[in-house]
Amino acid sequence: MVQSIKVAFQGEPGAFSEEAVIAYFGAEAAAAADSAGTVRPDREAVPTWRAVFEAVRDGTVDAGVVAIESSLAGSIRETYDLLSEFYEAGIRIVGEVSIPVRLALVALPGQSLDWIERVYSHAQALAQADEFLRTRDWQVMTTYNTAGAARMIAEKRERRAAAVASPRVAELYGLEILAADIQTGADNRTRFAVLGREGSTSVSPAPEPGPRKTTLVFAVRNVPGSLNRCLGAFASRGVNLSRLESRPARTARWEYVFWVDVDADATEPECAAALEELGREAEMVRVLGSYPRTGED
């Protein structure tokens, strides 16, 4: 029996978001196939991160994959804003996957580095290849997606132009790699969140043994010591916070919310007790999902 799962990702075929879908759902599909037959993840490209959230909310896809953090550039802030915005719609994080970021400079066949005048890519990719790009006097321009930049060059047959993208796009769009591994750093990775609808079992089955993670957001009261007491709810119980970041609340000037990754499932006794205490101290607490923790941190 073939079971199909439709998964949305941002960009074009060949984008790093699609690589994340393959990395996560390829492994998930293989595991599910052992007990429930064959699982086939159907990948659906959409133009924006918001469109991924909307597709999951509307039920046109079973799951979505969105970039949440770069080991080099830090948090993808738009994703965090969307997680908060779509919380009431029941969108939750049900998994995560970390993929290596390998970047290449690709162009039409027959081009050479000395002929290139313009380089296109997403702003994040351009930042991650900045050291290489500064070695030449190129005009650097941003596009909405890495693979989209490569596809544009291929479709327009644009000479003297190149794209910074995954080396995988060269074969997809009939391009050549002019320079490989142009990313800064040898261990550059991007972490992606897997999204599903609350209560759905198609992509969030019963928890399996292994390390778990919980992502949440909370707002503190504007009184002395409130943040300390919020964090103390976890510290006093030995529950580790692997990530803490403040973001503007967007509801009042100079007010902030705190995004937290907890190295525990929300249902584990100590974590559950910490969340209960946090709820008494904080103005707002939203648990955005508990899910298996990737081994690539």
Side-chain angles (χ1 to χ4, degrees), residues 207-212:
E208 298 180 0
R212 303 277 292 176

Side-chain angles (χ1 to χ4, degrees), residues 6-78:
K6 187 175 289 187
V7 185
F9 68 93
Q10 185 270 340
E12 303 278 355
F16 287 106
S17 295
E18 186 187 38
E19 292 189 20
V21 174
I22 295 169
Y24 183 84
F25 286 95
E28 292 294 301
D34 292 338
S35 59
T38 302
V39 177
R40 185 185 69 240
D42 294 329
R43 305 187 294 272
E44 180 170 319
V46 298
T48 63
W49 301 122
R50 176 176 291 276
V52 175
F53 280 80
E54 291 173 343
V56 176
R57 178 198 63 192
D58 297 342
T60 58
V61 299
D62 300 294
V65 171
V66 292
I68 196 167
E69 184 178 15
S70 163
S71 62
L72 184 65
S75 299
I76 313 298
R77 296 195 168 188
E78 181 182 356

